[in-house]
């Protein structure tokens, strides 16, 4: 398959996730970076493009210039997709410009800075007929897919309770913000959006719970808090209910001292409990009442794993894959669908526009619930502000 040609927006010098996306593209091997606008500062954009070996004439000073100049190139040479790795407030304007220019989009989470902007992205995506995908990294792990498969097969029974926590400590001191490129925009409502930790990692936890259970979260009660002087939440506790009646607890926090990237999920069903931890991603613990505990481990040659789950792994058991490969699995699925003209259906391997909108409804519903004294709030009742 000919590689999908991709242009990046964001991810310049000193950025966090842009380099992860570029590595993921290289591992996926069915998509390649050929152009980019890596910063709002044209000089930094050009330096960043040169540092990764792009042709100087494919490195642009603004994302609108990139769309315009790439569109004018021959069809078999210009970019086909745009990867968005900017702060949240730029996701919608960049995605809309890319879709209108005829390019597919793969965008980091959360979908946008507001529900309204996510809905505008959805409108443009559907009128353009182009794909839009979101990189909820954690659904790219083989053992997360195995957990989802256990539930889909039905033997473990219906979901009774989900406990998902995503805790970090990098914003646990008031002084952590100043001079930190990643922190500065995340605590600014104008660039992060209406949620702080809710949008940043709460949406990952929310998406993971929905992905493994295969169910939408339909209502929630939330309590948010922030260290003094911060305008956005840095710590949140959420009770939630799933569509088919299961209940759950979600905690997301960036002030939990000693935790680096502690995303953990337990899904308790009628006949088994499934447990996965991001910091030890190659095993899935399965607990049952009448049998010894089972530890299911990853590996491309592990015949007990479903075939599509073996197919996304690159090495035999005992050679751990991790974060970069999970990211690559998302890119690979996206590029495969771009090349084959497929639209996002079922478990397509990446988060869809509907998933992105669900995440933005989660953020809005949690903020509304918190403002009203943690009252239960239906996600279906959360609508765009006009
Ligand atoms: N999937 C994940 O696990 C994950 C992890 C981290 C971050 N993210 C998401 O990725 C996005 C970026 O986060 P980050 O931590 O890398 O932020 P960052 O601040 O490190 O990088 C943002 C980059 O965007 C660039 N930028 C800003 N305005 C621009 C413009 N107008 N044109 C071109 N480039 C511009 C900046 O110069 C910078 O290079 C955020 O939406 C964040 O939520 C996702």
């Amino acid at each position: 398959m000919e590689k999908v040609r991709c242009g990046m927006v964001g991810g310049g010098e000193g950025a966090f996730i842009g380099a992860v996306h570029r590595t993921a593209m290289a591992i996926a091997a069915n998509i390649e970076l050929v152009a980019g606008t890596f910063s709002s500062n044209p000089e930094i954009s050009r330096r960043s493009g040169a540092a990764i070996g792009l042709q100087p004439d494919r490195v642009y000073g603004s994302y609108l210039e990139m769309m315009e100049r790439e569109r004018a190139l021959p069809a078999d040479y210009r970019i086909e997709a745009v990867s968005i790795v900017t702060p949240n407030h730029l996701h919608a304007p960049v995605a809309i410009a890319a879709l209108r220019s005829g390019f597919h989009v793969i965008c980091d989470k959360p979908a946008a800075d507001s529900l309204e902007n996510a809905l505008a992205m959805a409108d443009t995506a559907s009128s353009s007929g182009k794909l839009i995908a979101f990189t909820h990294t954690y659904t790219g792990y083989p053992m997360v897919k195995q957990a989802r498969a256990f539930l889909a097969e039905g033997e473990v029974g219906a979901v009774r309770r989900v406990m998902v926590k995503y805790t970090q400590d990098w914003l646990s001191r008031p002084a952590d913000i100043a001079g930190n490129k990643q922190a500065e925009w995340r605590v600014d409502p104008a660039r992060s959006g209406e949620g702080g930790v809710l949008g940043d990692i709460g949406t990952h936890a929310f998406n993971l719970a929905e992905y493994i259970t295969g169910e939408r979260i339909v209502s929630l009660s939330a309590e948010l808090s922030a260290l003094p002087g911060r305008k956005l939440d840095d710590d949140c506790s959420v009770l939630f209910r799933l569509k088919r009646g299961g209940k759950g607890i979600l905690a997301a926090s960036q002030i939990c001292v000693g935790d680096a990237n502690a995303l953990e999920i337990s899904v308790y069903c009628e006949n088994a409990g499934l447990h996965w931890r991001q910091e030890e991603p190659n095993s899935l613990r399965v607990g049952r009442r009448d049998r010894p505990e089972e530890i299911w481990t990853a590996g491309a040659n592990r015949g007990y794993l479903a075939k599509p789950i073996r197919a996304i792994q690159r090495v035999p058991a005992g050679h751990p894959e991790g974060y970069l490969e999970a990211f690559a699995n998302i890119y690979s699925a996206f590029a495969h669908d771009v090349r084959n003209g497929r639209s996002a259906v079922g478990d397509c391997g990446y988060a869809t526009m509907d998933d992105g909108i669900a995440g933005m409804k989660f953020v809005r519903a949690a903020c509304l619930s918190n403002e009203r004294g943690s009252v239960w709030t239906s996600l279906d009742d959360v609508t765009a502000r006009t």
Side-chain angles (χ1 to χ4, degrees):
M1 168 182 139
E2 197 193 325
K3 290 184 185 192
V4 170
R5 297 177 300 281
C6 188
M8 177 169 277
V9 181
E13 283 176 6
F16 167 32
I17 210 68
V20 171
H21 282 244
R22 292 192 289 271
T23 308
M25 287 185 214
I27 297 173
N30 58 357
I31 181 163
E32 64 181 332
L33 190 73
V34 297
T37 309
F38 298 100
S39 166
S40 55
N41 176 325
E43 181 47 36
I44 296 177
S45 179
R46 287 186 215 299
R47 251 191 352 238
S48 304
I52 57 169
L54 287 189
Q55 277 179 229
D57 61 344
R58 306 289 295 274
V59 180
Y60 301 97
S62 82
Y63 69 85
L64 289 174
E65 182 198 358
M66 177 170 99
M67 310 297 172
E68 203 179 304
R69 290 202 13 216
E70 285 290 324
R71 207 171 40 177
L73 294 172
D76 61 352
Y77 184 74
R78 66 176 168 237
I79 57 171
E80 299 163 89
V82 173
S83 163
I84 304 174
V85 287
T86 61
N88 305 343
H89 69 301
L90 290 167
H91 291 183
V94 176
I96 289 169
L99 293 162
R100 285 191 182 144
S101 302
F103 304 133
H104 303 280
V105 167
I106 181 161
C107 179
D108 219 315
K109 46 46 60 179
D113 55 349
S114 69
L115 176 60
E116 291 70 25
N117 283 337
L119 293 170
M121 289 161 96
D123 278 351
T124 314
S126 73
S127 58
S128 70
K130 297 291 164 186
L131 264 188
I132 184 161
F134 296 92
T135 48
H136 273 296
T137 324
Y138 304 103
T139 59
Y141 282 94
M143 301 319 288
V144 166
K145 290 186 183 294
Q146 185 59 43
R148 179 179 160 101
F150 273 125
L151 272 118
E153 284 156 13
E155 187 261 328
V156 295
V159 178
R160 286 182 168 162
R161 164 162 301 284
V162 178
M163 317 271 269
V164 59
K165 78 180 256 296
Y166 195 164
T167 48
Q168 303 177 330
D169 69 357
W170 67 293
L171 298 181
S172 58
R173 296 185 188 123
D176 282 330
I177 312 300
N180 181 329
K181 185 177 170 65
Q182 281 71 40
E184 275 171 355
W185 67 259
R186 280 176 168 84
V187 298
D188 173 9
R191 289 179 285 171
S192 181
E194 61 198 295
V197 70
L198 267 177
D200 199 35
I201 56 174
T203 51
H204 270 315
F206 173 88
N207 177 260
L208 185 64
E210 289 202 334
Y211 179 78
I212 291 181
T213 60
E215 289 185 52
R216 287 284 179 216
I217 289 171
V218 291
S219 59
L220 59 76
S221 157
E223 183 179 53
L224 314 179
S225 57
L227 292 187
R230 290 191 185 159
K231 293 185 182 134
L232 290 173
D233 54 287
D234 54 25
D235 182 84
C236 71
S237 310
V238 181
L239 297 178
F240 65 82
R241 293 186 190 132
L242 289 161
K243 193 173 173 69
R244 291 199 279 270
K247 294 178 181 168
I249 298 179
L250 180 157
S253 177
Q254 287 169 323
I255 58 161
C256 284
V257 176
D259 281 5
N261 200 47
L263 170 61
E264 303 181 9
I265 187 164
S266 290
V267 181
Y268 297 96
C269 306
E270 289 164 313
N271 306 319
L274 311 176
H275 311 272
W276 182 80
R277 294 179 54 222
Q278 193 274 156
E279 290 180 347
E280 201 189 316
N282 290 300
S283 43
L284 175 68
R285 185 164 69 83
V286 183
R288 296 175 198 267
R289 277 187 67 166
D290 309 315
R291 277 201 239 158
E293 191 170 81
E294 294 167 4
I295 309 289
W296 287 57
T297 49
N301 59 342
R302 288 301 198 214
Y304 50 74
L305 298 175
K307 205 169 163 196
I309 297 171
R310 292 204 304 276
I312 58 162
Q313 298 176 71
R314 294 154 189 84
V315 283
H319 302 81
E321 295 190 14
Y323 185 65
L324 296 169
E325 289 86 354
F327 234 113
N329 290 336
I330 293 170
Y331 264 96
S332 177
F334 168 74
H336 179 269
D337 280 3
V338 166
R339 186 52 76 237
N340 293 292
R342 285 193 11 196
S343 51
V345 281
D347 182 14
C348 53
Y350 46 85
T352 63
M353 191 70 243
D354 284 348
D355 298 324
I357 290 171
M360 296 315 299
K361 286 192 169 188
F362 160 73
V363 171
R364 171 75 49 86
C367 291
L368 287 173
S369 168
N370 178 64
E371 280 163 28
R372 297 170 185 165
S374 304
V375 294
W376 279 90
T377 303
S378 157
L379 272 72
D380 279 342
D381 293 346
V382 171
T383 49
R385 292 185 177 129
T386 49

